[in-house]
Amino acid sequence: MNRTASLVLLASLLAAAVEVRPNLGGDFSKVSKDGAGHLVPAGWMLNSAFKANGTWGAVPDAERGGHALGVAAERGQIHVFTSKGFAAGPGTDVSISLEVRGTGSFKVWLYCYGESGGWVGENVEGPVVKITKPGWQKQTFPLPIPDKPFPKGTVTQIKPAFEVDKGSTLEFDNVVMTMEIEMEPTKTAPAGQNLRLLLPPVIHA
């Protein structure tokens, strides 16, 4: 039995929590060309409602090599999000950590969808963060999914997103999403995801 399978089995027996870290492509190491010939990071896309407001794409990281996700919101707000949805439901503890540099302000969102892939009428959003200092800065955002009915159905999948505000030019790198899932004996963990067992605390007499 491999290590991941062992952790899932142990978590199931203990009804413990497991940390799931889906692959977002958040190191932006894989890029491709869009229809216009611009480099874009694999697994990410522009929200077309904000298409006219500026530019986005994979930009070279001269300091560390590879690429980062670059967004220039010249004429208005821009949203960029993952093209793939990730399984999550009401009450799931989600957090996103990232590195950011540039000037301006942004938010981190979770776009929320139901079983059929349709939007459930509400999203989860973090606070506005303003970047003023030079260089890469580490940020972490707790984004728990409310344990409540959403206007158009139950949340079953999420897509992490960035909102970059008008006048901002920012780069993002090393984006990691962590979800804490309560495992039960009848449940299995999502396939092909990085798991870490969170054991309950030991109580001493």
Side-chain angles (χ1 to χ4, degrees), residues 27-31 58-68 173:
D27 60 359
F28 306 110
S29 59
K30 295 182 179 180
V31 299
V59 296
D61 183 350
E63 293 178 20
R64 303 187 292 193
H67 292 85
D173 204 356

Side-chain angles (χ1 to χ4, degrees), residues 39 64 113 135 150 205:
L39 281 180
R64 303 187 292 193
Y113 303 89
F150 278 59

Side-chain angles (χ1 to χ4, degrees), residues 97-100 135-141 173-174:
S97 63
L98 56 87
E99 293 180 61
V100 59
W136 289 104
Q137 300 175 45
K138 182 73 176 285
Q139 303 275 348
T140 300
F141 302 91
D173 204 356
N174 295 321

Side-chain angles (χ1 to χ4, degrees), residues 24-25 43-45 80-86 111 113 158-161:
L24 305 181
W44 293 78
M45 60 188 294
V80 176
F81 64 108
T82 60
S83 53
K84 177 183 176 181
F86 302 93
Y111 286 178
Y113 303 89
I158 55 175
K159 296 183 179 183

Side-chain angles (χ1 to χ4, degrees), residues 82-96:
T82 60
S83 53
K84 177 183 176 181
F86 302 93
T92 303
D93 286 329
V94 181
S95 67
I96 292 182

